[in-house]
Amino acid sequence: MIGNWSVACFGARCGRAGRSVRAVLRSSTPVTYGLIVLCCLLFLVGPAAGLNPVYGSGEGLAAAQRAYFHRWGVVPEELFEGSARAALTPATALFVHGSWVHLLGNMLFLYVFGVMTEERMGRVQFTLFYLGCGYLALLGYAAANDDSTQSLVGASGAISAVLGALLFLFPAARVTSLLPFLFFLPLRFPAWVVLPFWVALQWVAAGRAGQGPGVAYLAHLVGFGLGFGYAWARFGRPTRVKAAPAPAPEGENQP
């Protein structure tokens, strides 16, 4: 899950960037909303939600959850064995979440950051970007932990890529953040301040991953780097417009 602190919403008091933010938020972004709905529906019908009576309760439910995560999640030890089914798991794992907190945290970040990024990229490009970066983020985590037998699920690698792209595309957009060490006071900062700070937290947490819960911080870092790099490569180069020659003054026209 993308965590450590919360991001509540975007503001629009940042000059030209603010006007861009308001324009983006008024537009339709069906891919972002569709991803949120799909993840929520799959969670509700799966065993992790604990609401589907098909999976039973108690030990039976716990066993069903483990089997479900193993089938649809990424198991690094199995990923590089050449199995076609295992090769698909970095894609299927993007739509599987392990708990209510895991799901709601990821969907909040996707909603806040995905809308603007999709509007800037367009529907088709954003879809390919989200799936491609999410797949590579989980693949990168698996490569670094190729002897792990723990199932990895969640959309946080793809959402981290969205954060990276947004940092490049909208660096001045203001983000309302709730910081635990400041007693969760809502404070507003530009994205170029908030998101690098978030990356630094992920870096520190990745170095201490063995001391805490099973959160794939490395996948967050890989996804963020991929997203920022893609946005820079795709949108960072200025468009060269070939100027048409100016018409000659009337007195200089040839007979």
Side-chain angles (χ1 to χ4, degrees), residues 3 17 41 67 87 163 240 254:
L41 288 177
L163 267 64
R240 296 183 179 180
Q254 297 297 323

Side-chain angles (χ1 to χ4, degrees), residues 1-3 32 35-36 38-40 42 72-74 89-99 101-111 126 129-131 133-135 137-138 152-163 198 215-216 219-220 223-224:
M1 181 185 71
I2 295 179
T32 297
L35 289 170
I36 293 173
L38 180 59
C39 287
C40 289
L42 291 176
W72 300 111
V74 177
T89 56
T92 58
L94 297 176
F95 302 94
V96 179
H97 291 83
S99 68
V101 174
H102 190 197
L103 173 74
L104 295 177
N106 277 348
M107 293 305 100
L108 172 63
F109 270 73
L110 179 55
Y111 171 74
F126 178 77
F129 163 81
Y130 181 91
L131 296 176
C133 288
Y135 186 101
L138 295 183
L152 176 65
V153 297
S156 55
I159 298 171
S160 296
V162 174
L163 267 64
W198 176 84
V215 179
H220 299 174
F224 189 92

Side-chain angles (χ1 to χ4, degrees), residues 3 5 10 15 26-27 41 44 58 62 90 94 172 196 199 201 204 230 232 244:
W5 47 273
F10 274 99
R26 286 196 297 266
S27 63
L41 288 177
L44 291 175
L94 297 176
V199 171
L201 290 178
V204 172
Y230 176 85
W232 175 82

Side-chain angles (χ1 to χ4, degrees), residues 25-135:
L25 293 178
R26 286 196 297 266
S27 63
S28 174
T29 50
V31 176
T32 297
Y33 295 123
L35 289 170
I36 293 173
V37 170
L38 180 59
C39 287
C40 289
L41 288 177
L42 291 176
F43 179 79
L44 291 175
V45 301
L51 301 177
N52 193 335
V54 172
Y55 295 104
S57 60
E59 289 298 325
L61 177 60
Q65 291 173 348
R66 289 191 296 269
Y68 186 81
F69 297 149
H70 187 273
R71 179 179 181 183
W72 300 111
V74 177
V75 181
E77 188 180 59
E78 301 177 0
L79 182 59
F80 301 104
E81 293 180 350
S83 166
R85 186 200 67 81
L88 291 175
T89 56
T92 58
L94 297 176
F95 302 94
V96 179
H97 291 83
S99 68
W100 284 95
V101 174
H102 190 197
L103 173 74
L104 295 177
N106 277 348
M107 293 305 100
L108 172 63
F109 270 73
L110 179 55
Y111 171 74
V112 170
F113 294 98
V115 168
M116 296 180 67
T117 307
E118 180 185 347
E119 177 65 22
R120 181 67 179 87
M121 291 185 177
R123 301 173 184 179
V124 175
Q125 185 176 182
F126 178 77
T127 302
L128 297 176
F129 163 81
Y130 181 91
L131 296 176
C133 288
Y135 186 101

